Amino acid sequence: MNVDELIAIDVHTHAEISCREPEDDYANEIEEQKKKYFKSGSPPTIQETCDYYRERKIGLVMFTVDTEFEIGRRRIPNEEVLDAAKANSDIMIAFGSVDPHKGKMGLREVRKLIDAGVGGFKFHPTCQGFYPNDRMAYPYYEAMAEAKLPVIFHSGHSGMGSGLRGGGGMRLKYSNPMHLDDVAADFPDMTIIIAHPSWPWQDEALSVCLHKPNVYIDLSGWSPKYFPPQLIHYANTQLKTKMLFGTDYPLITPERWMKDYEAAGFREEVKPLIMKLNAIKALGLDR
Ligand SMILES: [Zn+2]
């Protein structure tokens, strides 16, 4: 990534459609609900996303989310995201996503992705149906920590399944960021990024981030207009080196996020940290 040329680094974007595999029409009610909840149209391809970010001089981290165990929907291949990152290495970093329920076979994939050059990994406790501090996931974390790669975890409420019968079978409890405190204590040298304002557990996220030097918070998934006041307060003060710009693209565009951010009460001197400098450290781009 050509960090010096970029005005910002977005640490949280999604690969939403594959150009290599036909769309899986399984669990369509969850997909339909997601589109309604997030008021999103048809998603861009990975290459379209890269072109869009390059035009705006914004770097991006992109990942698929492996929900094959909990939801049963076929994921976009990690390799497709990784190949795109290689073809767009000036602007893009690929994170891998492997469901820890896949056990040793999944661990082999984690190792393969590390060898192939992923820049980190993404987990979604609610969509993957596991507590982040479940020992089941620890061999995965060991491999990631050894490779010095950052790991991002969805936290808080999930738009996925919202309003569906039984929430589509998904459980919110897994995404309480307090479970990440165990992971941060047990893997003190692994960078952990708590994704999103963690509502209804915002204070838990701030506490873990304040307590554990290896924990960061990404500000994706919500317009800054709706950020809880304590999140902005800590971003301006004690946690100013731990907060990261992220959008959740394509659900929120960088334009929309940045416009609302300007008016949300962040101090001028912390803005460059949030937009780029903290990410350089969290993603290990300074190594
Ligand atoms: Zn996301």
Side-chain angles (χ1 to χ4, degrees):
M1 194 179 262
N2 297 341
V3 172
D4 295 341
E5 321 249 299
L6 303 174
I7 59 158
I9 300 172
D10 183 341
V11 302
H12 194 130
T13 75
H14 286 269
E16 292 280 344
I17 43 170
S18 174
C19 293
R20 291 186 190 172
E21 286 189 359
E23 206 187 314
D24 186 3
D25 59 2
Y26 184 78
N28 258 344
E29 69 285 2
I30 291 176
E31 279 304 297
E32 287 309 312
Q33 171 276 337
K34 182 171 98 180
K35 280 185 191 141
K36 251 188 247 157
Y37 183 91
F38 292 104
K39 302 187 184 76
S40 51
S42 55
T45 65
I46 298 173
Q47 190 54 50
E48 283 165 355
T49 300
C50 287
D51 296 343
Y52 174 94
Y53 273 78
R54 184 177 289 108
E55 260 171 46
R56 286 158 184 80
K57 296 191 191 312
I58 301 174
L60 73 153
V61 170
M62 191 193 284
F63 36 75
T64 181
V65 185
D66 180 356
T67 60
E68 295 184 345
F69 175 89
E70 183 74 353
I71 297 177
R73 193 181 177 84
R74 196 185 314 116
R75 65 186 172 172
I76 293 164
N78 282 309
E79 289 74 18
E80 186 172 346
V81 182
L82 189 58
D83 287 348
K86 286 185 177 158
N88 297 276
S89 61
D90 57 320
I91 205 96
M92 174 180 169
I93 293 171
F95 274 24
S97 179
V98 183
D99 191 313
H101 289 98
K102 290 182 174 170
K104 288 191 176 159
M105 191 57 111
L107 183 57
R108 282 175 62 188
E109 188 186 0
V110 166
R111 293 218 175 93
K112 203 175 110 198
L113 289 167
I114 291 170
D115 290 343
V118 288
F121 284 87
K122 151 85 177 208
F123 291 97
H124 196 309
T126 292
C127 288
Q128 294 176 324
F130 79 112
Y131 285 109
N133 58 356
D134 189 323
R135 291 300 187 272
M136 167 181 81
Y138 273 36
Y140 288 35
Y141 302 152
E142 275 159 24
M144 293 161 193
E146 195 189 296
K148 297 191 166 45
L149 292 179
V151 180
I152 188 165
F153 290 86
H154 171 91
S155 78
H157 185 83
S158 175
M160 295 286 287
S162 255
L164 283 184
R165 182 168 166 269
M170 285 174 263
R171 290 153 214 277
L172 298 170
K173 63 179 180 181
Y174 295 127
S175 292
N176 184 332
M178 191 48 79
H179 305 306
L180 292 169
D181 189 53
D182 280 334
V183 183
D186 294 338
F187 296 90
D189 300 318
M190 181 172 80
T191 295
I192 293 170
I193 302 171
I194 304 177
H196 317 308
S198 305
W199 183 81
W201 303 292
Q202 183 62 75
D203 293 331
E204 283 84 337
L206 293 168
S207 167
V208 174
C209 188
L210 200 54
H211 198 256
K212 302 290 188 291
N214 53 326
V215 175
Y216 291 77
I217 289 175
D218 94 31
L219 300 170
S220 70
W222 292 38
S223 157
K225 221 195 282 187
Y226 305 115
F227 284 174
Q230 69 270 45
L231 180 60
I232 296 171
H233 170 77
Y234 276 95
N236 277 333
T237 55
Q238 280 164 288
L239 295 178
K240 66 177 175 214
T241 60
K242 312 276 295 284
M243 301 267 180
L244 309 168
F245 164 53
T247 57
D248 221 7
Y249 188 83
L251 298 176
I252 295 183
T253 64
E255 275 95 349
R256 159 98 196 278
W257 193 98
M258 284 156 92
K259 181 171 159 271
D260 293 351
Y261 171 69
E262 284 307 315
F266 290 93
R267 290 186 186 156
E268 280 312 313
E269 68 268 25
V270 309
K271 285 181 182 169
L273 298 172
I274 293 173
M275 295 311 290
K276 185 167 108 169
L277 301 175
N278 294 344
I280 292 173
K281 188 154 178 268
L283 300 174
L285 303 177
D286 53 351
R287 284 199 297 265

